[in-house]
Structures are given as structure tokens and as C-alpha cells.
Amino acid sequence: MKKVEAIIKPFKLDEVKEAVTALGVHGMTVTEVKGFGRQKGHTEVYRGAEYVVDFVPKVKLEIVVASEMVEQVVETIIQAARNGKIGDGKIFVLPVESVCRIRTGEQDSAAI
């Protein structure tokens, strides 16, 4: 099993969710996050004063899938989240040792 973490632009969330759900993914965790990468934030003007916004709002998706599905899930996220501009995001793939569904006690692939 693998955990796919994707940091994407907030307005792409619905597109990514629909695309990944169509693959048969049954669940994901979504968190509103802030950060910066190459875009390094931007400058805004508020009430006549200019200030720097260091952290850009993003959405973090966490999806646990069977190892065989990882490439397909990653490619689907890329296609749905890509805007072609700086700040489209990143995808991380991490190993998952075990999973346990609290309600039923199911383990590993049965618990996904």
C-alpha cells in the first residue's frame, strides 16, 4: 500500500476528486494548507498599503491506495490538477506499513 499526498491549487479540488473517484478510489482526506515553493508568494495591496503574502493557499490531498494503483492515481491527479503555470503543486508517494479500520477492526487492504 502507498499513500499519495498531493498539494494542489484549491480551485482544482473538485476536478481532481471527480477524476480520482472515477478510478475507484473510495476515500481521501483534504486539508487546507499554506506554503510556498518556486512562486515565493506575491505582493498585494490592502487599504493603500502594499504587503507581501509569503504563504500561498493550497489544498493537500491524502489518498491511500493499493501499490498497483499508484501510477494510475498519480497520473490522474497530474492530468486533473495541471494548469500549466507555476504553482500547480507537487505529489509525494510514501509507503504505508499497515491500515486498520477502527469501526470493524479490518486490516490492511480490507480497510482501505
Side-chain angles (χ1 to χ4, degrees):
M1 288 178 293
K2 302 283 185 180
K3 179 179 181 181
V4 178
E5 291 185 0
I7 311 293
I8 63 171
K9 291 184 175 187
F11 66 89
K12 288 291 194 171
L13 177 60
D14 287 334
E15 288 178 55
V16 172
K17 180 185 154 239
E18 288 174 16
V20 173
T21 302
L23 288 178
V25 172
H26 300 293
M28 70 174 68
T29 300
V30 178
T31 310
E32 292 180 8
V33 296
K34 292 181 181 184
F36 69 92
R38 289 186 180 166
Q39 51 188 141
K40 307 243 190 315
H42 59 277
T43 305
E44 288 188 6
V45 177
Y46 179 70
R47 293 189 176 182
E50 191 173 286
Y51 65 99
V52 176
V53 177
D54 291 333
F55 296 104
V56 180
K58 300 284 184 179
V59 173
K60 179 181 177 181
L61 307 176
E62 297 175 87
I63 307 168
V64 177
V65 295
S67 297
E68 308 83 57
M69 287 189 67
V70 171
E71 287 184 37
Q72 192 177 14
V73 169
V74 168
E75 189 57 36
T76 300
I77 293 170
I78 290 170
Q79 294 301 318
R82 179 178 283 154
N83 197 18
K85 298 179 182 162
I86 194 165
D88 274 352
K90 293 259 192 314
I91 298 174
F92 306 94
V93 178
L94 306 139
V96 174
E97 288 187 29
S98 71
V99 178
C100 178
R101 179 169 296 164
I102 295 172
R103 179 178 53 88
T104 62
E106 293 171 302
Q107 297 280 325
D108 299 327
S109 60
I112 295 181

